[in-house]
DNA sequence: ACTCCAGTTGCAAATCTTTGCAACTGGCTG
DNA sequence: CAGCCAGTTGCAAAGATTTGCAACTGGAGT
């Protein structure tokens, strides 16, 4: 009841309650060394409180993410995974679309972006856990002078229709 | 059959087929002025081809996103929305967690990040359509010297458990 | 320790997305 | 123009995530 005062304090500040279920979800995520899916969190929570419902786990996962206590990782073709956000160990991810390699990005690399958003739009971005897609060093096409997406245009006539959004 | 050669060419390059369904999905997204949910795309596609299945729409939406032809927008509490990626009009989004305001971010603001990733990790990020969360100018807390997330730590004992990941 | 109110929970059902599979078809080849 | 093969589709069902609601409960106030 002392070393995690930070968390309790943060939760109190949001006008929320620290229920056993919520504490358990947070605890499970913080004790896992990798990224857990909602279902995995659910399974682990149930080993300690079998009556906890999956929807409660989901609700708390969403809640804790909004509080910045956990980050989420969305990978193509698999369910969303959650990871603890620890002070001093914050990081983001870059996932290679070709080989699936995952690179951890230091928060410092995002600082310029954060500053640009404040400067240009007055927007204080909350970079809790970002996942970027692209190609890792090993998978980049040879003559990638046009690395990026080729720019599509003139797609309007593709299907020969003219159903306007309205 | 000429002005959209770019798209056809891009699709051919990926070793894929340009089916009527696929063209229709792309067409619908490109003709919409806002962001459409998968279901809205489905409805519009069906006005022209009633037999097209929702799963086909989803599959094409995922496919076109991977091709960089459309971008997706994930907002809290509502289904994913899709938007056309047009050359010369690329942009990303910053969504305010407090008021829901949505700001369009110029690609230029992300250039430094893109460069840092290549320089530091050899990673060529594909910034097709990014959505960032945070607080807009109007919703930022007054004395936000600690704007960002407070750093949680020592959460381990929160639930009094010691279920180690493994 | 008791009361009260708002935040939470469990349950069931709805929604949103993805997937398996056999039939179908675009588009190259002959 | 017929044949072929791999990419696609429609259908049905599974899987993932969210929501409505009445009952429950933290924790501040008394």
């Amino acid at each position: 009841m002392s070393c995690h005062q930070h968390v309790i304090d943060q939760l109190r500040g949001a006008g929320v309650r620290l229920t056993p279920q919520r504490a358990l979800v947070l605890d499970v995520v913080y004790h896992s060394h990798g990224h857990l899916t909602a279902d995995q969190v659910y399974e682990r929570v149930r080993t300690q409180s079998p009556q906890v419902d999956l929807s409660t786990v989901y609700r708390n996962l969403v809640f804790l993410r909004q509080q910045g206590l956990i980050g989420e990782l969305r990978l193509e073709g698999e369910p969303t995974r959650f990871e603890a956000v620890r002070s001093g160990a914050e990081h983001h991810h870059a996932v290679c679309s070709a080989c699936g390699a995952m690179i951890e990005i230091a928060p410092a690399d995002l600082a310029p972006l954060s500053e640009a958003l404040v400067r240009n739009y007055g927007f204080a971005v909350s970079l809790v856990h970002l996942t970027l897609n692209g190609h890792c060093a090993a998978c980049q096409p040879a003559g990638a002078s046009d690395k990026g997406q080729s720019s599509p245009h003139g797609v309007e006539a593709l299907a020969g229709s003219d159903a306007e959004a309205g």
Side-chain angles (χ1 to χ4, degrees), chain A residues 120-141:
Chain A
N120 302 339
Y121 311 91
F123 190 87
V125 67
S126 173
L127 294 171
V128 178
H129 198 140
L130 200 60
T131 301
L132 302 171
N133 293 294
H135 288 87
C136 70
C139 297
Q140 288 175 49

Side-chain angles (χ1 to χ4, degrees), chain A residues 25-39:
Chain A
V25 169
L26 185 57
D27 186 67
V28 165
V29 176
Y30 269 75
H31 274 90
S32 70
H33 292 164
H35 307 85
L36 300 177
T37 61
D39 203 59

Side-chain angles (χ1 to χ4, degrees), chain A residues 4-76:
Chain A
H4 53 280
Q5 198 57 46
H6 291 273
V7 179
I8 291 180
D9 202 52
Q10 175 168 355
L11 295 183
R12 286 286 157 62
V16 299
R17 222 181 278 170
L18 182 59
T19 62
Q21 294 93 329
R22 179 164 291 169
L24 208 41
V25 169
L26 185 57
D27 186 67
V28 165
V29 176
Y30 269 75
H31 274 90
S32 70
H33 292 164
H35 307 85
L36 300 177
T37 61
D39 203 59
Q40 291 175 315
V41 172
Y42 176 53
E43 288 304 329
R44 296 191 184 189
V45 164
R46 280 168 70 89
T47 62
Q48 297 190 51
S49 293
Q51 82 293 352
V52 176
D53 193 75
L54 177 60
S55 67
T56 296
V57 170
Y58 267 106
R59 276 188 282 228
N60 277 311
L61 248 16
V62 168
F63 171 80
L64 294 171
R65 169 162 54 75
Q66 293 178 324
Q67 293 300 310
L69 293 171
I70 64 176
E72 68 174 12
L73 185 58
R74 286 178 176 282
L75 299 177
E76 293 279 304

